[in-house]
């Protein structure tokens, strides 16, 4: 019966590999120090109420689907819609744009031609970046940078960029022919190692893990608080169920979760932060169903606002 023992060993090894590659994504039981909500709040505590952001908007630029187990380890329910988005924090003193989404070519490549792309939404993002005094990205991956790395008028956005060194270093590979526009290449890097106030009610803080340049962005409106978490979680289920991405995805897609230990710690802290601050709105970049739920609750608005056209002066 030696062969039977041999088969048992092989099956056990395969089961262990399956668990390791597909099922395991557990966040630790405890973590602290990845985020500092108290610091974010105190940095904007003295901002005059009339200067605070008034609303948060999203442009759904592209869309594709993924099996649930590929987005959240151990989730075997249904297909997930991943949308590729850009966010706008509207404020009296000027807007903050977060993330540059995908262009059509990138969406087609990422989705192997199966995704959908909204040209009007992408053009709205390109235009909003020229007007917003603060243009940021949650991280430097391809589905967050295209409206910056491939902006048709780079000179019109260069002065608005608030990107870190790690984020700027990630842009050239996505630029046309691998050549970043000189205006963007010359942008001076920001440093968010410690929580940093960007504008009234808006704070950025480095949170490396999913990528070296990953940051979170906190925003406070009169009505509520938001935390943009980029791709720390692809779906809110990762925060709710304390499960990160499966390892096989990080082997398949280069650059995803180079510091997986930190990502899992961050998921634990986001989970706890949400439990302790039920009013805080977490905004993952891609969870289409969750983001659309926030829109129906009135917490998030679909489509960017555009400034009112200047009044025409009638010749006398
Ligand atoms: Zn992403």
């Amino acid at each position: 019966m030696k062969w039977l023992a041999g088969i048992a060993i092989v099956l056990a090894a395969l089961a262990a590999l399956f668990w390791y590659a597909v099922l395991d994504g557990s966040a630790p039981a405890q973590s602290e120090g990845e985020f500092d909500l108290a610091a974010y709040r105190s940095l904007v505590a003295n901002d005059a109420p009339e200067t605070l952001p008034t609303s948060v908007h999203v442009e759904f630029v592209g869309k594709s689907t993924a099996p649930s187990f590929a987005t959240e380890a151990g989730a075997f329910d249904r297909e997930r819609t991943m949308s590729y988005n850009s966010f706008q924090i509207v404020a009296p003193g000027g807007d903050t744009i977060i993330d540059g989404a995908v262009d059509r070519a990138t969406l087609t490549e990422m989705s192997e031609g199966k995704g959908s792309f909204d040209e009007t939404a992408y053009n709205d993002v390109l235009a909003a970046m020229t007007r917003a005094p603060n243009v940021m990205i949650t991280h430097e991956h391809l589905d967050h940078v295209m409206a910056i790395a491939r902006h048709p008028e780079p000179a019109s956005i260069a002065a608005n960029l608030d990107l870190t060194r790690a984020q700027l270093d990630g842009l050239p590979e996505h630029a046309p022919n691998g050549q970043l526009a000189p205006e963007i290449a010359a942008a001076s890097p920001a440093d968010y190692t410690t929580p940093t106030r960007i504008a009234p009610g808006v704070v950025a803080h480095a949170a490396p893990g999913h990528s070296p340049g990953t940051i979170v962005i906190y925003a406070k409106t009169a009505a509520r608080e938001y935390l943009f978490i980029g791709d720390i979680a692809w779906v809110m289920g990762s925060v709710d169920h304390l499960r990160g991405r499966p390892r096989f995805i990080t082997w398949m897609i280069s650059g995803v979760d180079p510091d997986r230990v930190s990502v899992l710690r961050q998921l634990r802290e986001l989970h706890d932060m949400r439990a302790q601050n039920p009013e805080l709105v977490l905004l993952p970049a891609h969870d289409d169903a969750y983001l659309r739920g926030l829109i129906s609750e009135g917490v998030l608005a679909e489509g960017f606002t555009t400034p009112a056209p200047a009044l025409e002066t009638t010749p006398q």
Side-chain angles (χ1 to χ4, degrees):
M1 298 300 266
K2 261 190 193 155
W3 60 272
L4 203 57
I7 287 175
I9 288 168
V10 169
L11 287 178
L14 285 175
L17 178 65
F18 182 74
W19 175 85
Y20 187 76
V22 181
L23 299 181
D24 178 48
S26 295
Q30 284 182 326
S31 176
E32 58 180 307
E34 297 286 337
F35 306 110
D36 192 346
L37 184 59
Y40 312 158
R41 285 173 170 162
S42 90
L43 278 166
V44 301
N46 294 325
D47 288 338
E50 64 273 18
T51 66
L52 291 178
T54 51
S55 55
V56 176
H57 299 245
V58 59
E59 282 286 1
F60 296 100
V61 173
K63 205 195 294 191
S64 66
T65 55
S68 52
F69 66 88
T71 61
E72 176 190 346
F76 290 94
D77 42 0
R78 59 195 153 80
E79 255 192 354
R80 300 288 168 79
T81 298
M82 304 283 280
S83 48
Y84 303 97
N85 310 317
S86 179
F87 296 89
Q88 177 193 40
I89 302 171
V90 174
D95 300 346
T96 299
I97 305 297
I98 297 174
D99 281 344
V102 287
D103 62 359
R104 185 185 291 279
T106 309
L107 191 273
T108 303
E109 190 186 318
M110 287 175 65
S111 66
E112 294 169 337
K114 294 183 200 124
S116 63
F117 181 76
D118 184 337
E119 193 84 48
T120 305
Y122 186 65
N123 287 336
D124 286 349
V125 174
L126 292 173
M129 284 187 173
T130 67
R131 297 186 302 262
N134 301 102
V135 173
M136 312 181 75
I137 56 174
T138 57
H139 63 296
E140 63 279 19
H141 286 165
L142 79 170
D143 51 327
H144 298 259
V145 302
M146 290 307 172
I148 297 170
R150 298 180 183 174
H151 200 286
E153 297 168 41
S156 68
I157 64 163
N160 302 340
L161 299 177
D162 295 302
L163 310 184
T164 67
R165 181 78 270 157
Q167 293 177 341
L168 285 166
D169 288 348
L171 295 185
E173 66 172 302
H174 305 302
N177 305 315
Q179 283 292 318
L180 204 54
E183 298 91 339
I184 292 180
S188 47
D191 184 357
Y192 305 132
T193 313
T194 54
T196 304
R197 182 181 171 281
I198 303 296
V202 182
V203 172
H205 188 199
H210 175 64
S211 76
T214 291
I215 65 170
V216 291
I217 298 151
Y218 166 89
K220 175 179 151 185
T221 65
R224 53 183 66 84
E225 298 170 294
Y226 299 82
L227 190 68
F228 297 81
I229 62 171
D231 286 8
I232 294 171
W234 276 344
V235 289
M236 273 306 284
S238 275
V239 175
D240 294 339
H241 310 136
L242 293 162
R243 304 190 291 206
R245 278 167 284 271
R247 283 189 185 83
F248 83 89
I249 280 289
T250 67
W251 301 334
M252 280 172 57
I253 312 176
S254 78
V256 170
D257 295 355
D259 182 355
R260 179 175 158 90
V261 171
S262 289
V263 175
L264 296 176
R265 285 172 53 86
Q266 291 162 359
L267 289 175
R268 160 53 72 181
E269 291 187 31
L270 291 172
H271 178 93
D272 294 351
M273 197 190 291
R274 201 179 190 211
Q276 288 153 18
N277 305 274
E279 298 301 308
L280 176 72
V281 180
L282 300 187
L283 292 172
H286 302 302
D287 189 336
D288 194 74
Y290 170 76
L291 294 173
R292 290 186 187 277
L294 293 180
I295 291 169
S296 60
E297 290 166 27
V299 170
L300 187 64
E302 183 171 1
F304 282 4
T305 61
T306 46
L311 288 176
E312 278 182 41
T313 46
T314 328
Q316 298 296 312

